[in-house]
Amino acid sequence: SAYSRAYVEKAYVAYYGRPADPGGLNYWAARMDAEGQSLDAIIGAFGNSAEFNGRYGGLTHLQLVTKVYQQALGRAPDPAGLDYYVGELQAGRRTLQSITLDVLNGATTPPDSTVVANRLEVAAYATGQVASGCPYGTESDGVNTLASVTAVPDTVSASRLSIDSRCGLAAVFTPKGAARLLQQATWGATLGEIARVAGIGAEAWLTEQLA
């Protein structure tokens, strides 16, 4: 459902600091729907994944909370928030998983709410582009894309342009994209040539032609 997909995208931003990949988004949204649209159904899996542990493993409580704020809001924690969440972790009353989502959901006033809204917008755009055939890139690419998004509207435009750029000539083409390229750049193409160009991509084909 649209509800579950939106919350799964938010979970990816909160826990991993990157846009969701379409396969993961569809899988976890289906899990949420099957569990009555409860986010509790997936929080444990997100918070205990290798990616999550790789990002937060080995840090002190103070470092953990600081990193959560940087990843979710792009800023250092305020002293009151830092003291509260560090105390909750030390006392064992809260898990890092619940705090991570708490920080994101607690951003209800500008500029924090604007940062979150902008990052979710870019994340959803990136996921949609990948679902349409654009290569995802690496997890670090996704993290860097969202890390550059702030409350400033221009950062949203710049991030969308960088995603579009990655979806350009260097992208692995679908057969439809390869057929369009060959229709524009040659006198015509066979199905075999379309399949070949779909496999090697536009950039490699253009290099062949220029050579």
Side-chain angles (χ1 to χ4, degrees):
S1 64
Y3 176 88
S4 293
R5 289 172 66 84
Y7 264 84
V8 170
E9 189 77 69
K10 180 181 284 190
Y12 268 86
V13 173
Y15 289 122
Y16 304 143
R18 65 176 176 87
D21 54 279
L25 179 69
N26 291 335
Y27 173 78
W28 291 113
R31 281 278 299 271
M32 269 193 72
D33 285 339
E35 299 282 343
Q37 295 187 332
S38 170
L39 193 58
D40 293 338
I42 67 172
I43 279 179
F46 267 71
N48 289 298
S49 69
E51 184 177 353
F52 187 81
N53 291 328
R55 189 153 298 163
Y56 294 106
L59 300 180
T60 66
H61 289 146
L62 188 147
Q63 290 171 326
L64 287 171
V65 175
T66 299
K67 188 158 187 174
V68 164
Y69 269 81
Q70 284 290 355
Q71 184 163 279
L73 307 178
R75 66 169 176 85
D78 54 281
L82 180 64
D83 290 344
Y84 172 73
Y85 285 124
V86 168
E88 292 292 286
L89 280 174
Q90 289 174 340
R93 289 186 294 266
R94 301 285 295 278
T95 65
L96 183 62
Q97 292 94 317
S98 66
I99 290 172
T100 299
L101 206 58
D102 226 31
V103 169
L104 196 73
N105 287 330
T108 57
T109 57
D112 288 344
S113 59
T114 308
V115 173
V116 171
N118 287 349
R119 290 187 173 184
L120 289 174
E121 177 186 337
V122 170
Y125 180 74
T127 302
Q129 291 297 94
V130 174
S132 297
C134 175
Y136 186 92
T138 66
E139 291 173 356
S140 294
D141 291 333
V143 171
N144 292 336
T145 295
L146 292 191
S148 65
V149 177
T150 68
V152 179
D154 285 350
T155 62
V156 175
S157 301
S159 293
R160 288 171 68 112
L161 282 173
S162 72
I163 293 167
D164 290 342
S165 177
R166 192 168 68 244
C167 296
L169 288 179
V172 175
F173 268 19
T174 61
K176 182 177 179 180
R180 180 170 180 269
L181 171 67
L182 293 172
Q183 181 184 26
Q184 291 175 326
T186 73
W187 293 109
T190 64
L191 288 175
E193 181 68 357
I194 290 171
R196 188 179 75 84
V197 175
I200 66 173
E203 192 169 41
W205 181 81
L206 287 171
T207 299
E208 284 182 359
Q209 304 310 304
L210 292 171

